[in-house]
Amino acid sequence: MSIIDSKIPEGPVAEKWTNYKAHQKLVNPANKRKLDIIVVGTGLAGASAASTLAEMGFNVLNFCIQDSPRRAHSIAAQGGINAAKNYQNDGDSIYRLFYDTVKGGDYRAREANVYRLAEVSNNIIDQCVAQGVPFAREYGGLLANRSFGGAQVSRTFYAKGQTGQQLLLGAYSSLNRQIQAGKVKSYNRYEMHDVVMIDGRARGIIAKNLVTGKFERFAAHAVVIATGGYGNTYFLSTNAMACNCSAAIAAYRKGAYFANPSYVQIHPTCIPVHGDKQSKLTLMSESLRNDGRIWVPKKIEDAKALQAGTKKGSDIPEEDRDYYLERRYPAFGNLVPRDVASRAAKERCDKGFGVNNTGLAVFLDFSEAINRLGIDVVRQRYGNLFDMYEEITDVNPGELAKEINGTKYYNPMMIFPAIHYTMGGIWVDYELQTSVKGLFAIGECNFSDHGANRLGASALMQGLADGYFVLPYTIQNYLSDQITVPRFSTDAPEFVETEKACIEAQKALLKNPKGKDGKSVDTIHKELGHIMWEYVGMGRTKAGLEKALVELKRIRKEFEEELFVPGSEEGMNNELDKAFRLKDFILMGELIANDALHREESCGGHFREEHQTEEGEAKRNDEDFFYVGCWNYKGDDNATPELIKEPLVYEAIKVQTRNYKN
């Protein structure tokens, strides 16, 4: 078995990052000008990394799949960003943020990385305020905080329901400054297709110009991937349509381990599926769970009436409502972690208490908060989210619907869990370097900080921590001995061969064996998504996962023999680009299913129905599965990958069963 060196520094967990920075190798300012770095991605992680590395003096090539970095999927994050500032004076600290993150991830994260994340979290807020990010403020001018799932303190900084967008605008302004200064070369509407390896190191990429349709070669001393997660494997998810896993899979095929792919997050507060013509789902921010109460009817006859449309949520009086999260988890109530809230919603719906016409929804109700605070205060906190919900469903959650026995009832939202974030990703060491030398991964596309479940408001924190405050240090440790390495010519044989392989792969997609009688990319992707949600979704079983792996082989065969891609390789061809991504989603689906099948336990977002407590909670197996499961590509998409284990070592935290009841 391969030995994994995670490069975790010696010493107490609270001193590791300080000790690392004190002893790492550096690159002096004059030498930084000699080094080129490719950063793929312009979300929070990619934009912050590209701008910071350029500010330090490196030459950066930055690639964006959209027409502008401002359209990166980070804009979709609504609720906020965590930091241990303790402005509320409610007992928060770096250690408590660290502990909540490890516990929220069901003790499956790497301890040293998580402590570092908590440690740099406060710097992020200072950085973003300096950039002009308009965080919400208290009456006296101090930055406001609100609560999020998995925590009993208020540590989440926010800008209404647009936090991701505002943070991205801050990073974008920083990036633009470096583009103007000539330190960043920006390539918009480019998609990375492969990593170029020279003598065992990542030395460049092949990227496709999505406007001209041409493949182009780019060389650098190091490559950084910041391309987000793989949630769109499931077709229906909260991710933007362009989100894909192709850059990560390209790295995987070139030898980068893929870690914990089965750790997929189901977000509890999404607008339910309303038909088979949808292409994506809409997330309603977790911040709504601060004041919104989640419930289903106590009586099965009320649930059936709601499903039939003969009753509305506002018709059900208070005494006939089951606030099941408050009942089951009194200490955390509606703010339990996402995996716990999602499974609880599924359990109620499986028992027949769901409230949509499909029976697959629960209510998120603001009546109590509006009666207590007034509609103006509630709308000040969540107004744009209420507007978004009304625009999609034609229901206004702030509208008075009925008064029963003197109690005012407002229209509730309907929500149901959906695929959202992926905790698994490319394996990286403490320096954020993959198992391929010179190839780094940051943000959601690496595995490092969230374990088996991510706490709300921690995605933005990790993306900016990696880009602003971690990678700019750690990448120097690698680049310090690359100063004498001359710049690489893109005419080198390795670049020529890698580009040739990309061109041949593209031609194969355009063969269209069945011609126009074949199936479209979306048709096959929907089939893939159905299999993934049915057998590799919220509840997984050994039999279901084995069936999924058989079905995924069938989907691959169908893709190879029945796919129809219209158009040609000349110019812009969105269907061709989607076909490339679908090929990688199929491989990603097999990775998720293989990892879920081998992990005979339940933890966080990975729930094996065979492994649960009598109360239906996740039942971990620390004796046999206390490790990071890394998968090593064996040279062929059809070959079963090799499992490599990185043992987890906890020094500062006692591993125990999660408890959100008291």
Side-chain angles (χ1 to χ4, degrees), residues 189-191 193 207-216 506 510 565-578 580-581:
R189 300 293 288 143
Y190 275 76
E191 183 169 15
H193 273 253
K208 184 180 180 183
N209 182 323
L210 297 178
V211 177
T212 66
K214 300 292 184 185
F215 288 102
E216 298 179 24
Q506 181 166 268
L510 288 164
V565 179
S568 72
E569 54 196 304
E570 300 298 324
M572 186 182 291
N573 187 339
N574 288 332
E575 289 300 304
L576 179 57
D577 299 330
K578 282 160 57 178
F580 265 112
R581 296 165 200 160

Side-chain angles (χ1 to χ4, degrees), residues 14-32:
E15 298 174 13
K16 289 183 187 294
W17 182 230
T18 301
N19 290 341
Y20 176 89
K21 290 188 292 182
H23 297 99
Q24 69 165 103
K25 297 173 184 175
L26 297 173
V27 180
N28 78 39
N31 285 332
K32 285 177 181 145

Side-chain angles (χ1 to χ4, degrees), residues 101 163 182 221 237 278 329 341 552:
T101 304
T163 315
H221 292 88
S237 81
Q278 274 181 270
Y329 309 101
L552 289 168

